[in-house]
Amino acid sequence: MSIADIKKNAEQKMLKSIEAFKTELGKIRTGRAHPGILDQVNVEYYGSMVPLSQVANVTLVDARTISVQPWEKGMGAKIEKAIRESDLGLNPAAQGDLIRVPMPPLTEERRKELTKVVRNAGEDAKVAVRNLRRDANEQAKKLLKDKAITEDEDRRSQDDVQKLTDKTIAEIDKLVQGKEAEVLAV
């Protein structure tokens, strides 16, 4: 393994951390409805738990309402129950085969709680990135110890990994600020 491999590996893992963080942010609901909110809901389907998107069509009716159209007749009640029992705080209403999921408006208190959740998720993402930096630096130290690289190359490698870490953390901060603004917008 060379220094270039270490840097490339660290960069790829940091990009994956950002993607995972973006996915996490997508799960935090704002006042607006979006179909991704229901991605974490699992429904019992012939004895096994499957994601809602595999048994129904999830679409937006308007800015505050999601519609769920089951693909099979008997799934409506199960889907409605799964949404109600999820920790999303949603109250679906069945209209024949169609299930409408209205998004309740967020209170000021709930908005503040959600900003704390966003900040904590951001902190977790930063910790993951810092752990990746540590791992990359340890790999470079191991190469130095095995005399595969010089001390200058080790120092340069650490500087490059630190720049990459700083860039990634700045990106995470930007995502946190954007999501906080979105949550606090009335």
Side-chain angles (χ1 to χ4, degrees), residues 29-89:
R29 78 181 183 93
T30 57
R32 290 186 298 277
H34 65 90
I37 290 173
L38 297 177
D39 283 351
Q40 63 202 32
V41 176
N42 287 318
V43 181
E44 197 230 316
Y45 184 66
Y46 292 111
S48 61
M49 298 304 279
V50 295
L52 178 63
S53 59
Q54 291 183 9
V55 295
N57 192 18
V58 181
T59 56
L60 284 181
V61 176
D62 56 47
R64 293 217 175 265
T65 311
I66 300 172
S67 79
V68 180
Q69 179 74 47
W71 292 329
E72 290 184 24
K73 286 265 188 222
M75 289 300 295
K78 290 180 181 178
I79 291 172
E80 190 178 351
K81 181 179 179 217
I83 294 171
R84 191 168 282 122
E85 289 177 352
S86 70
D87 60 352
L88 297 171

Side-chain angles (χ1 to χ4, degrees), residues 2-182:
S2 68
I3 289 180
D5 293 340
I6 292 171
K7 287 184 212 169
K8 186 177 175 193
N9 192 14
E11 185 173 13
Q12 287 174 343
K13 287 182 177 178
M14 287 182 188
L15 287 174
K16 285 180 185 172
S17 291
I18 287 179
E19 289 307 313
F21 180 57
K22 286 179 182 175
T23 304
E24 189 68 30
L25 286 182
K27 293 177 184 173
I28 299 173
R29 78 181 183 93
T30 57
R32 290 186 298 277
H34 65 90
I37 290 173
L38 297 177
D39 283 351
Q40 63 202 32
V41 176
N42 287 318
V43 181
E44 197 230 316
Y45 184 66
Y46 292 111
S48 61
M49 298 304 279
V50 295
L52 178 63
S53 59
Q54 291 183 9
V55 295
N57 192 18
V58 181
T59 56
L60 284 181
V61 176
D62 56 47
R64 293 217 175 265
T65 311
I66 300 172
S67 79
V68 180
Q69 179 74 47
W71 292 329
E72 290 184 24
K73 286 265 188 222
M75 289 300 295
K78 290 180 181 178
I79 291 172
E80 190 178 351
K81 181 179 179 217
I83 294 171
R84 191 168 282 122
E85 289 177 352
S86 70
D87 60 352
L88 297 171
L90 300 174
N91 191 16
Q95 295 177 326
D97 283 342
L98 184 72
I99 299 167
R100 296 170 85 70
V101 184
M103 299 296 292
L106 295 174
T107 62
E108 188 63 31
E109 184 179 318
R110 181 71 179 135
R111 288 178 195 278
K112 287 192 169 108
E113 284 176 28
L114 286 175
T115 58
K116 288 178 187 171
V117 170
V118 169
R119 284 191 195 118
N120 286 340
E123 232 10 84
D124 291 346
K126 288 181 194 177
V127 167
V129 168
R130 290 183 191 121
N131 287 341
L132 292 171
R133 174 188 62 193
R134 183 199 62 220
D135 293 346
N137 287 340
E138 284 175 358
Q139 288 172 339
K141 286 278 185 227
K142 187 174 184 302
L143 287 177
L144 176 65
K145 190 177 138 202
D146 295 342
K147 300 209 182 321
I149 60 171
T150 64
E151 285 186 22
D152 287 347
E153 288 173 320
D154 176 49
R155 196 160 298 116
R156 219 172 295 122
S157 163
Q158 286 185 18
D159 289 345
D160 290 347
V161 170
Q162 183 61 47
K163 286 176 188 165
L164 183 62
T165 303
D166 292 342
K167 187 180 101 181
T168 307
I169 286 180
E171 174 78 17
I172 290 170
D173 285 337
K174 196 168 79 176
L175 289 169
V176 166
Q177 287 176 341
K179 189 65 175 188
E180 281 182 355
E182 190 179 323

